[in-house]
Amino acid sequence: MILVTGAGGNVGSELTGILARGGHPVRALVRTPRPLPDGVEGVPGDLNEPASLKTALDGVRAVFLLGGYDDMPGALAVMRDAGVEQVTLLSSRSVAGGHADNAVAGMHMAAEASVRASELAWTFLRASGFMSNTLQWIPQLKEGDVVREPFANVPVATIDPYDIAAVAAESLTTPGHEGRAYAITGPEALRPAERLRILGELLGRELRLAPLSDEEARVKMSAEMPEKYVDAFFRFFAEGEFDDSEVTSAVRDLTGREPRPFADWARAHLAAFR
Ligand SMILES: NC(=O)c1ccc[n+]([C@@H]2O[C@H](COP(=O)([O-])OP(=O)(O)OC[C@H]3O[C@@H](n4cnc5c(N)ncnc54)[C@H](OP(=O)(O)O)[C@@H]3O)[C@@H](O)[C@H]2O)c1
């Protein structure tokens, strides 16, 4: 049995589908009841409360895990005690050469350290920025054809969560991935205006990107997230602490096919933008 945490999220929802279609026994950890793919059972649990995971872990061999919960060592100890052998952790490329005092990189570095210390076999998926971050534009696109965006000059080798899930499925169902940290990216580095142009073509709308100044960006982001994360993203993308533009071959190496381009992700999620 494989337990998928974050099963309602961008990556977890793709992963439960891939595993179920592949005939693997799969269980989803859910906080709130939700529709799941055929063949996937949902079991309640909260990763911030390790003791609540026990039922979901019954008979589980491997876990797909996200980082950043209140007590990662505690949650991992409950997994180990329940007989779990292997964890695949969704991490970030920002950990490579990252700064522990950056709130985003530091969170992922701490999660990786907890997993390494857990005595479970591990695989880290150090992902680039997700294509699904584009969903954040929906409120602006409901209002008009202009998207106001911070860090407009920054290219990101943005990855489809489906490809992260495909690599995760590979790591959870085939041998040889223990102790490996994979830097996984999409097929090309795109600036926000390039993603918007592709989206606009598919929607049949003339969309325009309006870059935000650093001052405007700080105001907008501070309304959406805690200040420590605003600072972390400014350090990444305004001060150049993190270059997320390099394309790697990891998705191809691990799945035997090219990573999906942004147009494919946008086409698959077009209804959300309409
Ligand atoms: N976005 C990026 O560009 C990027 C890049 C690299 C790494 N990452 C990392 O990727 C992860 C996010 O992945 P995602 O986009 O697939 O997730 P997501 O869409 O944000 O969904 C998060 C999922 O986790 C569940 N969850 C949240 N808190 C929980 C808890 N205490 N106990 C159990 N389940 C909980 C949520 O369940 P509910 O539905 O019940 O709330 C939801 O299903 C984060 O760790 C992020 O740092 C993101």
Side-chain angles (χ1 to χ4, degrees), residues 155-218:
V156 173
T158 176
I159 185 167
D160 189 331
Y162 178 87
D163 284 333
I164 303 173
V167 171
E170 198 63 23
S171 74
L172 291 160
T173 59
T174 64
H177 305 289
E178 292 84 7
R180 306 291 302 273
Y182 296 118
I184 54 174
T185 74
E188 61 181 337
L190 296 174
R191 291 183 173 77
E194 293 163 320
R195 280 188 285 135
L196 190 64
R197 181 184 53 74
I198 294 166
L199 186 60
E201 282 170 9
L202 291 168
L203 288 168
R205 286 172 65 179
E206 272 200 30
L207 304 177
R208 188 169 65 81
L209 195 102
L212 290 175
S213 69
D214 283 356
E215 293 73 26
E216 292 168 326
R218 197 168 268 283

Side-chain angles (χ1 to χ4, degrees), residues 6-12 29 31-32 34 45-48 66-67 69 90-92 107-108 127-130 133:
N10 296 301
V11 178
L29 185 79
R31 286 191 302 180
T32 33
R34 61 177 68 250
D46 186 331
L47 281 155
N48 284 326
L66 273 50
Y69 301 106
L90 176 53
S91 183
S92 156
M107 180 278 276
H108 289 291
S128 59
F130 296 180
N133 295 346

Side-chain angles (χ1 to χ4, degrees), residues 15-160:
L15 180 56
T16 52
I18 291 171
L19 291 170
R21 288 193 297 277
H24 301 284
V26 52
R27 187 179 292 157
L29 185 79
V30 289
R31 286 191 302 180
T32 33
R34 61 177 68 250
L36 293 165
D38 284 348
V40 181
E41 58 167 331
V43 178
D46 186 331
L47 281 155
N48 284 326
E49 294 170 26
S52 75
L53 303 174
K54 284 182 184 156
T55 307
L57 288 167
D58 187 34
V60 167
R61 173 186 65 78
V63 174
F64 174 73
L65 185 62
L66 273 50
Y69 301 106
D70 291 349
D71 180 10
M72 293 292 289
L76 288 155
V78 169
M79 291 176 199
R80 187 202 54 218
D81 293 348
V84 172
E85 297 167 6
Q86 177 192 352
V87 167
T88 289
L89 176 75
L90 176 53
S91 183
S92 156
R93 281 221 282 194
S94 62
V95 302
H99 299 253
D101 65 348
N102 177 301
V104 174
M107 180 278 276
H108 289 291
M109 292 164 89
E112 289 194 2
S114 299
V115 172
R116 280 183 210 274
S118 71
E119 297 168 25
L120 297 165
W122 56 261
T123 306
F124 298 152
L125 306 186
R126 293 177 174 166
S128 59
F130 296 180
M131 291 179 182
S132 48
N133 295 346
T134 308
L135 295 167
Q136 292 162 2
W137 289 346
I138 288 174
Q140 297 192 71
L141 291 173
K142 279 191 180 142
E143 297 298 315
D145 292 333
V146 178
V147 168
R148 295 166 60 74
E149 180 73 355
F151 316 129
N153 285 325
V154 175
V156 173
T158 176
I159 185 167
D160 189 331

Side-chain angles (χ1 to χ4, degrees), residues 202-273:
L202 291 168
L203 288 168
R205 286 172 65 179
E206 272 200 30
L207 304 177
R208 188 169 65 81
L209 195 102
L212 290 175
S213 69
D214 283 356
E215 293 73 26
E216 292 168 326
R218 197 168 268 283
V219 170
K220 179 174 186 292
M221 293 168 70
S222 297
E224 296 165 352
M225 63 183 84
E227 210 55 34
K228 64 178 180 177
Y229 295 121
V230 178
D231 289 341
F233 287 116
F234 264 82
R235 282 175 57 175
F236 278 169
F237 299 128
E239 296 167 27
E241 198 170 277
F242 174 33
D243 176 3
D244 202 11
S245 67
E246 189 202 340
V247 170
T248 72
S249 63
V251 170
R252 183 174 61 238
D253 298 343
L254 288 155
T255 67
R257 60 162 179 78
E258 295 300 323
R260 290 184 173 185
F262 179 74
D264 285 12
W265 177 87
R267 208 172 283 115
H269 294 83
L270 218 48
F273 292 94

